[in-house]
Amino acid sequence: MRMRKEINRYRCIGDSGREYTVIEYQNFTRYQTLNNPPQDVPTTLEWFLSDSRDVNFIDDNTFQILDTDEFRECPDGC
């Protein structure tokens, strides 16, 4: 079973000066064996804008919005 949990939000400013919120998610996979309780194991991280658009993590201060190719700077760090 796969699950996703929001772990952080970042306020970012785009090339155009517009503000955006990037949401960071941690994905988990649940493993269970017959003799042990279930364990949620962290797997990958994903980032999306608050309006659900896809973004790429570029570095600690920058995201790229995929559908517009615009870059977002995060003044508080990502």
Side-chain angles (χ1 to χ4, degrees):
M1 170 189 282
R2 292 184 185 165
M3 298 177 298
R4 178 187 291 164
K5 178 182 175 184
E6 180 181 321
I7 59 172
N8 221 330
R9 287 183 178 239
Y10 306 101
R11 184 185 63 81
C12 297
I13 300 171
D15 294 337
S16 64
R18 186 173 170 196
E19 288 190 22
Y20 294 90
T21 300
V22 175
I23 304 171
E24 180 178 16
Y25 292 96
Q26 175 72 63
N27 292 310
F28 295 88
T29 299
R30 178 165 282 182
Y31 292 101
Q32 184 172 8
T33 62
L34 295 175
N35 298 329
N36 296 311
Q39 289 185 317
D40 295 333
V41 178
T43 56
T44 58
L45 295 172
E46 292 182 297
W47 295 269
F48 298 94
L49 290 181
S50 57
D51 66 5
S52 300
R53 287 189 281 167
D54 292 326
V55 296
N56 278 337
F57 176 81
I58 303 298
D59 61 34
D60 284 344
N61 295 309
T62 311
F63 288 97
Q64 174 190 22
I65 295 178
L66 296 180
D67 65 346
T68 64
D69 201 35
E70 185 176 356
F71 288 86
R72 308 287 185 245
E73 298 293 325
C74 302
D76 299 330
C78 303

